[in-house]
Amino acid sequence: MDAPRGRWGLHWQAPSTMVAFFIFGVTMAVGHHLFYKRLEGKLVVGTSSDWDLEAFLHGQEWKIRFGTALAFLTQSLFAKAIDQAFQQTVWVAARNKAITVDGLDAMFSAGSSLLSFSKLEFLRKATLGALLGLLKWLIPLSALVTPATLTVIPWTSFSNSTKPVPAVNFSIIEPLYHFYESVREMDYGFLSNNGITPKLTRILSSAATSLQILPMKAIAPNSTYEMTFHGPSLRCSRPEPIIHEAIHLMVNSTYEVVYQWTPERFAQEMSWVAFAPTENIFQYVYLGLKGTIPLASNKTRVEFLKFARICILQGDSFDNQYLCEGVVGFDESNARNVTYEYMSTLKSADGSANYGRIWVWVNASTTYDCVLTDTEYSARFVYSESESMQRVDPGYNFTWTENDLYGSYFATAGALSNFLTGAIRSDSEGSLIVRQTRITESAIFGALNLKSEVGDSGPGLSSRVITPEIRALARGKTAGELIEELSRNFTLSLFSVDQVLSMNLTEAVVTVSSQANVYAYASRNLVITYAVTSALSLIAILVGLVSLLRNGVSHEIGFLAFLLTTRNPRLDNFTLDQSMGALPHSEKVKETKLRFGFIRGSNGNMMQPEWQSLKTSSGDDQGQTGPGRVGFGFENEVQPLIKGTAYL
């Protein structure tokens, strides 16, 4: 009876399984990437239930579940491919070297037990198998990284549309200015505000004391737009010599009213004097310019003393009919250029009302001629979420133009005149003395000079009055620059007054932002993780394929494989008292070295089954030509397998 022969050759199942698991793993990895890429940037949809069709298709929880499932499948497929390669590799190690039973047990169980890696013999004699086994254990760690590459983050989206936006209509002045309370020759002394309404006064006061532009009602939540428009502002410059002389004389007159005598020096103690010149002052400036009546004349001095007492210091009037005009209003149909009005004053003896000029003396030497000027503003209006209001970005741009003024521009100049007009000085002890002016409420106060030391009789104010905190408000700017800034902030603050806003004056591109939660995908982390995982799996498969070729047959690790490869009567006798396989295993058995190969008999001949005798050409086992048995045997009874040789 002919014995069955062992089959050489690779069965398709082992290599195809390795490759198939790898391909499916790569496919799942690509699918995971495409799934997350499709979600990237999309809105997170909330659902009322977690287990209906809507939740299944759109719910955030299900998106996370799908991603986790893809990550689990991907790592499982890669781990299975590596496991197939690992099985082929350990059989190569079992054939090449004799290994103790304990080492073989660790080697064949490394794919399912981490304790196997504590066996040094396994690591030393089956290093490649140990690496593949360890890789199989590490591959699932990729599932800790890849699902977390999809997160939910807050996102701001923007939509643009062109629509009408509110703009200050400077032809509407009624809420800000009462024309008939300021008509020339009717507003006497200091008993009124020259027609400026309390509302406009409050706006200026709020802008000055808060050091910022007042907010306005929002046209829409989270809206932003830019707008260019014209409005008033003061332009402060060093005056012409005749005006400088007039301001000088007015400060001197103020000092004289205070001390009731003409000072020997020029009012060094006065730190601030500001006023809006009247028609009479203009006339004397004209006459002084022409040389008709010098500014130093007694007639001029009397006029200036009256003005200083009534309009600057708010003292008792020499003449109860004396007029403090301030900035005089005019009808919007008679809009005119303030610079032109001033030039007309100098060219004729008729004089002219003050349509927008404020003269300032500051720090005992510096003078300013602040002129109401048409200004082109380019401002950005942004939404303040904390206030639910629209605010003007402080970084607005402006340009002074030569355009004529709108009829209502004078209202802002009048309010500024009321705010600035007055005097500030200090006494010999450094105490502050303020008459009428309200600049102490603004950053302008921080630009005034300090005395060099306490008790100093020179110009400036005491450091007890202007503290470092107040000084910091000026931000290193001059008084003239701060007056200009206040006038612009005041104009921009008019957007907070609904009564003077119109929606049909201009349009702008309005950008509305909205907050939402969207999916964010860190593709780089997922791609790198899967690229490394795929590369390591591919290397493992190549090692497994090479092991298959070296083995010449396809192996697996399972009960049937060990049943077929341990049919050795000597092993049966050696383990006779260990047939239960119960723990603990015998140390003698564990330390016995076995090897997988061609098994010889105990007498030096090849082991024979009862039904066949083996024939040799020379009478010893080295010339063996007949069929023999393959399996695990003791180190001294096993010889290496020869590929292609017929074995039982």
Side-chain angles (χ1 to χ4, degrees):
M1 168 173 150
D2 293 335
R5 304 297 179 91
R7 291 174 297 180
W8 287 99
L10 302 178
H11 189 266
W12 62 268
Q13 183 175 343
S16 61
T17 301
M18 271 192 290
V19 174
F21 279 135
F22 175 75
I23 292 175
F24 288 148
V26 172
T27 302
M28 288 294 101
V30 172
H32 196 178
H33 166 70
L34 294 177
F35 175 64
Y36 279 0
K37 195 68 178 176
R38 182 173 176 271
L39 291 177
E40 185 176 20
K42 289 193 173 182
L43 293 176
V44 177
V45 178
T47 55
S48 56
S49 173
D50 193 26
W51 297 99
D52 56 16
L53 180 60
E54 181 185 4
F56 180 78
L57 296 176
H58 306 293
Q60 174 187 350
E61 292 81 2
W62 280 102
K63 299 292 187 296
I64 295 174
R65 289 168 184 152
F66 293 150
T68 304
L70 287 170
F72 175 78
L73 287 174
T74 302
Q75 61 89 15
S76 298
L77 290 167
F78 282 137
K80 191 63 178 175
I82 295 171
D83 183 59
Q84 293 293 310
F86 164 76
Q87 294 184 37
Q88 309 308 318
T89 305
V90 294
W91 283 100
V92 172
R95 288 174 56 175
N96 289 342
K97 298 176 183 178
I99 305 175
T100 64
V101 173
D102 195 32
L104 287 172
D105 181 62
M107 184 171 69
F108 283 107
S109 63
S112 59
S113 174
L114 276 174
L115 292 176
S116 299
F117 295 94
S118 65
K119 306 296 182 180
L120 295 179
E121 186 184 22
F122 164 47
L123 301 178
R124 180 168 50 86
K125 293 186 177 181
T127 304
L128 196 56
L131 290 175
L132 293 186
L134 184 62
L135 182 60
K136 177 189 174 183
W137 282 99
L138 294 178
I139 283 296
L141 294 178
S142 64
L144 298 177
V145 177
T146 51
T149 57
L150 184 72
T151 56
V152 175
I153 61 172
W155 185 258
T156 303
S157 61
F158 301 93
S159 61
N160 297 328
S161 60
T162 301
K163 60 176 63 177
V165 293
V168 177
N169 187 345
F170 285 101
S171 65
I172 303 175
I173 63 171
E174 184 60 30
L176 310 178
Y177 181 79
H178 294 156
F179 183 82
Y180 291 104
E181 292 183 12
S182 182
V183 176
R184 293 167 61 192
E185 299 182 1
M186 292 183 62
D187 185 10
Y188 295 103
F190 55 88
L191 301 179
S192 74
N193 281 323
N194 293 322
I196 305 303
T197 65
K199 186 177 189 66
L200 187 57
T201 300
R202 288 194 299 271
I203 293 170
L204 174 57
S205 179
S206 297
T209 55
S210 66
L211 306 181
Q212 60 182 352
I213 302 165
L214 302 185
M216 60 183 287
K217 287 185 179 178
I219 62 171
N222 302 312
S223 59
T224 302
Y225 59 92
E226 295 181 358
M227 183 171 59
T228 299
F229 60 95
H230 285 253
S233 74
L234 292 180
R235 184 177 188 178
C236 298
S237 58
R238 297 301 169 86
E240 298 181 28
I242 188 66
I243 295 180
H244 175 79
E245 185 180 354
I247 298 173
H248 193 274
L249 179 58
M250 187 61 72
V251 175
N252 199 41
S253 299
T254 304
Y255 189 86
E256 183 176 350
V257 171
V258 171
Y259 290 100
Q260 298 298 311
W261 58 280
T262 303
E264 295 180 358
R265 68 181 188 278
F266 184 74
Q268 292 294 317
E269 286 82 359
M270 304 302 295
S271 291
W272 172 270
V273 173
F275 60 98
T278 61
E279 179 180 351
N280 287 343
I281 299 299
F282 276 130
Q283 287 179 337
Y284 281 107
V285 170
Y286 165 76
L287 295 175
L289 179 65
K290 297 299 183 181
T292 307
I293 302 178
L295 284 176
S297 68
N298 187 62
K299 186 175 182 180
T300 305
R301 175 173 167 271
V302 171
E303 181 66 28
F304 276 49
L305 284 171
K306 284 184 179 181
F307 184 92
R309 178 182 293 275
I310 305 299
C311 303
I312 297 178
L313 299 175
Q314 294 187 320
D316 294 333
S317 175
F318 290 130
D319 181 354
N320 60 10
Q321 295 296 305
Y322 191 84
L323 178 64
C324 296
E325 296 171 355
V327 174
V328 178
F330 50 85
D331 188 274
E332 61 267 17
S333 63
N334 297 319
R336 66 200 75 187
N337 188 287
V338 173
T339 303
Y340 171 79
E341 292 296 329
Y342 169 70
M343 294 304 296
S344 298
T345 301
L346 296 183
K347 290 179 181 178
S348 68
D350 296 335
S352 177
N354 180 359
Y355 290 108
R357 300 186 87 95
I358 302 172
W359 292 349
V360 179
W361 160 278
V362 62
N363 293 335
S365 61
T366 305
T367 55
Y368 294 103
D369 179 20
C370 297
V371 181
L372 187 64
T373 306
D374 180 75
T375 307
E376 183 181 76
Y377 293 86
S378 294
R380 182 170 176 263
F381 294 78
V382 297
Y383 181 78
S384 172
E385 186 173 357
S386 61
E387 301 171 302
S388 298
M389 302 285 280
Q390 210 88 24
R391 277 196 174 273
V392 177
D393 189 331
Y396 62 85
N397 296 315
F398 71 95
T399 303
W400 287 304
T401 75
E402 301 301 325
N403 296 347
D404 286 348
L405 305 181
Y406 282 91
S408 59
Y409 281 7
F410 64 85
T412 61
L416 286 164
S417 171
N418 292 344
F419 187 86
L420 299 174
T421 295
I424 295 177
R425 65 184 178 89
S426 62
D427 60 19
S428 59
E429 297 180 356
S431 298
L432 185 68
I433 301 175
V434 180
R435 300 298 293 269
Q436 186 176 354
T437 183
R438 297 177 61 194
I439 69 162
T440 54
E441 304 171 12
S442 71
I444 301 171
F445 189 51
L448 302 187
N449 277 353
L450 290 174
K451 290 182 181 292
S452 58
E453 59 184 23
V454 178
D456 182 8
S457 60
L461 300 175
S462 169
S463 58
R464 294 177 303 180
V465 173
I466 302 183
T467 62
E469 291 77 12
I470 294 176
R471 174 70 65 186
L473 297 178
R475 309 184 308 283
K477 296 185 177 183
T478 66
E481 292 171 334
L482 293 170
I483 292 171
E484 293 174 345
E485 181 179 75
L486 174 60
S487 70
R488 295 191 300 269
N489 289 351
F490 179 34
T491 295
L492 292 170
S493 294
L494 294 179
F495 281 89
S496 66
V497 185
D498 294 342
Q499 295 93 325
V500 298
L501 296 181
S502 295
M503 294 293 293
N504 57 356
L505 295 179
T506 186
E507 290 186 338
V509 176
V510 180
T511 300
V512 177
S513 62
S514 57
Q515 300 291 327
N517 289 331
V518 298
Y519 293 105
Y521 170 38
S523 58
R524 182 174 178 270
N525 295 340
L526 183 140
V527 170
I528 290 177
T529 301
Y530 279 150
V532 172
T533 304
S534 301
L536 293 175
S537 301
L538 181 59
I539 293 173
I541 289 172
L542 294 176
V543 171
L545 293 175
V546 171
S547 299
L548 276 171
L549 294 175
R550 291 182 63 185
N551 287 329
V553 294
S554 302
H555 283 291
E556 65 176 359
I557 297 175
F559 176 77
L560 184 58
F562 294 119
L563 172 68
L564 298 176
T565 58
T566 55
R567 300 290 82 206
N568 184 342
R570 292 188 64 186
L571 291 180
D572 291 342
N573 293 331
F574 182 70
T575 59
L576 190 61
D577 60 344
Q578 299 289 318
S579 60
M580 289 291 290
L583 295 174
H585 298 306
S586 168
E587 291 297 323
K588 178 182 176 182
V589 172
K590 289 166 62 177
E591 293 174 0
T592 301
K593 289 187 177 182
L594 300 179
R595 184 176 177 181
F596 183 68
F598 180 65
I599 304 173
R600 298 180 300 181
S602 60
N603 59 358
N605 294 324
M606 291 170 285
M607 213 173 76
Q608 305 178 46
E610 292 179 358
W611 46 266
Q612 174 149 9
S613 297
L614 297 176
K615 298 179 179 180
T616 65
S617 58
S618 59
D620 59 17
D621 55 351
Q622 298 300 322
Q624 165 71 25
T625 59
R629 185 166 185 84
V630 174
F632 281 97
F634 297 110
E635 184 178 12
N636 60 357
E637 70 174 5
V638 173
Q639 66 183 84
L641 294 175
I642 301 174
K643 192 174 181 180
T645 301
Y647 298 106
L648 287 179

